[in-house]
Amino acid sequence: MESPNMTLRDVPSEDRPRERMMLYGAQALSNAELLAILLRTGTYKESAVHVAQRLLIQCGGLRMLTDMSMEQLTEIKGIGEAKALQIQAGIELGRRLARSTMNETVTIRSPQDVAALLMEDLRYLQKEHFVCLFLNTKNHVIGQETLSMGSLNASIVHPREVFRAAIKRSSASIVCAHNHPSGDPTPSPEDVEITKRLVQAGEIVGIDVLDHIVIGDKRYVSLKELGFM
């Protein structure tokens, strides 16, 4: 491993991430090396690889990096606004690539369809995000909106906000989803309660709530399949 005081020009060319990627492909590089390519340059005393290694250690690993804000990134020595933007752009491209195999018109036929659409967006988040998918009469997704962001263990959303957004889009029905930062998608009593409230409100305004999906880490649960709606 290179010395903390070694700059990239001091590293043998075959050990530099760009050269290694050209020779062996991206899959041969470590997370720090791939991140170093995004950063492009290090500091006067550190190579880009060492800055990337330190960034991953300080943020708690690649998974935690995906949820870091601009302010949090730029607090780390060697990461300015330009580098922070490059990191966030790379993360967003990865998310979009994960969704790119789906057709432009997404049709929701099952909980699996919801999970496929939202899993990569929600599974890494460190706070609960409550998301609604708005559907037309053919169950095509015509809109998606994050309606609340809660604490580490609670998401607060009011039916009024949900159905105001649904009516604005002339939705025929909606599907709700939120993540559990713990990675365990088991519904909480609060999840069950808000689902029942949303179903009741939907019956009043004439917009069906088709399901409520809880997203964990590569796992999900459908409250409809569990019999809570």
Side-chain angles (χ1 to χ4, degrees):
M1 182 176 291
E2 65 185 83
S3 165
N5 293 324
M6 184 182 290
T7 61
L8 195 57
R9 61 178 170 270
D10 298 320
V11 179
S13 60
E14 64 271 18
D15 292 333
R16 297 176 186 174
R18 281 194 294 268
E19 283 78 356
R20 277 173 40 76
M21 185 169 173
M22 290 181 66
L23 287 172
Y24 309 115
Q27 67 275 8
L29 273 62
S30 67
N31 290 340
E33 288 173 317
L34 290 170
L35 189 52
I37 291 175
L38 286 177
L39 296 177
R40 297 181 58 198
T41 59
T43 67
Y44 179 72
K45 293 184 177 181
E46 293 179 306
S47 71
V49 174
H50 191 265
V51 172
Q53 289 170 336
R54 183 163 48 76
L55 170 58
L56 289 172
I57 290 170
Q58 288 185 238
C59 75
L62 193 62
R63 174 170 177 163
M64 301 301 180
L65 180 62
T66 62
D67 202 33
M68 291 188 74
S69 66
M70 275 284 294
E71 292 74 17
Q72 290 171 318
L73 286 169
T74 53
E75 286 176 358
I76 294 175
K77 183 180 178 182
I79 307 295
E81 287 187 357
K83 285 184 170 61
L85 287 171
Q86 286 161 203
I87 292 168
Q88 291 190 326
I91 290 169
E92 181 59 25
L93 279 172
R95 285 175 173 157
R96 294 185 186 189
L97 181 60
R99 301 193 301 265
S100 65
T101 56
M102 289 183 290
N103 297 327
E104 287 188 15
T105 301
V106 178
T107 303
I108 301 300
R109 301 183 181 90
S110 67
Q112 291 92 328
D113 294 331
V114 180
L117 181 63
L118 298 177
M119 179 70 73
E120 292 306 314
D121 282 341
L122 297 182
R123 60 182 284 223
Y124 297 115
L125 299 176
Q126 298 306 300
K127 291 184 178 181
E128 287 199 1
H129 287 55
F130 189 94
V131 178
C132 274
L133 299 179
F134 305 102
L135 313 180
N136 63 16
T137 54
K138 296 183 178 180
N139 282 10
H140 295 163
V141 177
I142 57 175
Q144 174 181 329
E145 186 173 346
T146 299
L147 293 173
S148 79
M149 289 181 285
S151 66
L152 281 174
N153 56 12
S155 183
I156 302 171
V157 65
H158 196 283
R160 178 178 60 247
E161 300 164 349
V162 173
F163 289 102
R164 180 189 296 128
I167 291 168
K168 182 179 179 181
R169 291 171 173 80
S170 300
S171 307
S173 60
I174 64 172
V175 175
C176 302
H178 77 281
N179 62 302
H180 279 182
S182 67
D184 180 0
T186 303
S188 67
E190 292 80 10
D191 296 339
V192 175
E193 178 60 29
I194 186 61
T195 301
K196 291 179 178 178
R197 291 174 61 201
L198 289 169
V199 169
Q200 291 170 355
E203 290 173 350
I204 293 171
V205 300
I207 297 176
D208 292 333
V209 180
L210 300 183
D211 207 339
H212 184 177
I213 307 297
V214 184
I215 302 285
D217 188 3
K218 294 185 179 179
R219 296 183 292 160
Y220 67 90
V221 165
S222 159
L223 272 76
K224 185 181 182 89
E225 288 185 340
L226 293 180
F228 290 118
M229 55 187 302

